[in-house]
Amino acid sequence: MKLVRYGNPGKEKPGLIDDNGQLRDLSAVIKDIGPEQLGDAVLAKLRKQKVEKLPLVRGKPRYGCPVANVGKFIAIGLNYADHAAESGLPIPAEPVVFMKANSCVQGPNDPVMLPKGSVKTDWEVELGVVIGKAARYVSQKSALDHVAGYCVINDVSEREYQIERGGTWDKGKGCDTFGPIGPWLVTRDEVPNVQKLSMWLDLNGKRMQTGSTKTMIFNVARIVSYVSQFMTLVPGDVITTGTPPGVGLGMKPPLYLKKGDVMTLGIEGLGEQRQDVIGFKA
């Protein structure tokens, strides 16, 4: 299933995308798509719905983040060898884990706002993993059983804050609007091989990133298992799993986002995003 939340910010309704690409309303079936709805039992109930009888949603409503009330927003850094190289950093021996503030979460097509005084804001197309069942010290073999589904994430990053302001990556990762998620949450049963998905990002119509999840250093099962050793993952937590090469930081000279830029990005089978870059607003 492709699950969505649509409508104005803070007033999103649950929905799904049918086989014809049409938006259907799920409000009469579930109250939202959040931690309580991400478990196997509720997802199984949704799969039994007669989709053709669900109300069609007319027009082109805004899509919000497909997961309500995101809990922890966990990120994995340097998870593609060629991206580590372009960043001038060694391939990590273990996954690099940091946090993005959940206050940065937004819809997939909402504008990205440059932080006040920012001159090094960058883009990163990434695969997102949404937890559906609590995971604590889980094995790699069972790790994917704890996943509700997958989505597209743009791990927007302010490189000066991330690298030059004391060495704490979180500073450059959680600014307002730096977490576009969606458009859909694609349930894991519809992603037969999560390690074989193509991904891309364009800036102003020019291809910047082209990659595939097959080149991850640490695969999704390893990541979920690894992170669960350090914190209990609960339904509604989101893990963003690293980016392929082609970010602005790695260009010679570096290229960063400016007001008026447009980012478009997507992952095979998981949909596409589009963000206008806007200046700082208090």
Side-chain angles (χ1 to χ4, degrees):
M1 294 178 293
K2 295 181 175 69
L3 300 176
V4 301
R5 297 174 64 249
Y6 67 95
N8 293 329
K11 297 182 179 179
E12 292 93 345
K13 296 180 179 180
L16 63 76
I17 305 298
D18 67 20
D19 291 340
N20 295 316
Q22 298 176 301
L23 174 59
R24 301 273 182 169
D25 181 41
L26 279 174
S27 298
V29 183
I30 51 175
K31 64 179 181 180
D32 208 340
I33 300 169
E36 296 178 357
Q37 292 80 33
L38 295 173
D40 288 344
V42 175
L43 295 180
K45 174 185 174 182
L46 293 179
R47 289 188 192 96
K48 294 179 181 178
Q49 297 296 312
K50 295 183 178 179
V51 175
E52 68 278 3
K53 292 189 177 182
L54 294 171
L56 275 172
V57 179
R58 305 295 180 183
K60 295 183 178 180
R62 167 190 173 270
Y63 285 153
C65 173
V67 180
N69 303 315
V70 170
K72 295 187 288 295
F73 196 177
I74 304 155
I76 307 299
L78 304 176
N79 196 29
Y80 291 73
D82 33 15
H83 172 58
E86 73 174 352
S87 301
L89 295 168
I91 295 173
E94 297 186 37
V96 175
V97 180
F98 61 94
M99 307 294 286
K100 288 178 74 77
N102 58 13
S103 55
C104 79
V105 171
Q106 65 170 18
N109 304 315
D110 295 340
V112 165
M113 180 178 68
L114 299 173
K116 189 175 183 179
S118 167
V119 294
K120 295 184 179 180
T121 296
D122 205 348
W123 56 84
E124 296 189 11
V125 59
E126 304 199 2
L127 171 73
V129 178
V130 179
I131 300 299
K133 181 171 68 173
R136 181 171 179 263
Y137 294 103
V138 299
S139 67
Q140 290 187 54
K141 184 177 180 180
S142 65
L144 298 188
D145 295 339
H146 296 260
V147 173
Y150 305 98
C151 55
V152 182
I153 294 178
N154 189 353
D155 177 21
V156 185
S157 308
E158 213 297 345
R159 302 302 189 187
E160 180 185 11
Y161 300 177
Q162 176 189 354
I163 300 169
E164 304 171 35
R165 299 287 296 274
T168 304
W169 282 23
D170 308 56
K171 292 178 183 177
K173 295 288 190 169
C175 303
D176 291 348
T177 76
F178 273 23
I181 301 178
W184 314 313
L185 167 62
V186 181
T187 52
R188 71 174 189 270
D189 59 299
E190 291 201 6
V191 185
N193 187 351
V194 72
Q195 300 304 153
K196 198 176 179 181
L197 303 177
S198 60
M199 53 204 306
W200 57 272
L201 183 145
D202 291 350
L203 177 65
N204 301 324
K206 181 180 179 181
R207 184 59 46 93
M208 296 294 174
Q209 291 186 273
T210 303
S212 170
T213 57
K214 68 183 179 182
T215 65
M216 282 183 175
I217 299 169
F218 307 106
N219 65 23
V220 172
R222 173 74 190 281
I223 289 168
V224 173
S225 174
Y226 183 85
V227 174
S228 78
Q229 299 176 37
F230 302 99
M231 63 191 84
T232 298
L233 298 171
V234 298
D237 286 351
V238 175
I239 305 174
T240 189
T241 58
T243 196
V247 300
L249 172 68
M251 296 186 177
K252 300 186 184 335
L255 176 67
Y256 296 113
L257 295 169
K258 63 184 184 303
K259 181 180 177 181
D261 283 344
V262 177
M263 292 178 283
T264 52
L265 56 146
I267 298 178
E268 180 183 356
L270 304 184
E272 299 181 5
Q273 301 184 353
R274 180 190 187 280
Q275 295 113 27
D276 295 319
V277 178
I278 62 174
F280 176 75
K281 295 181 179 180

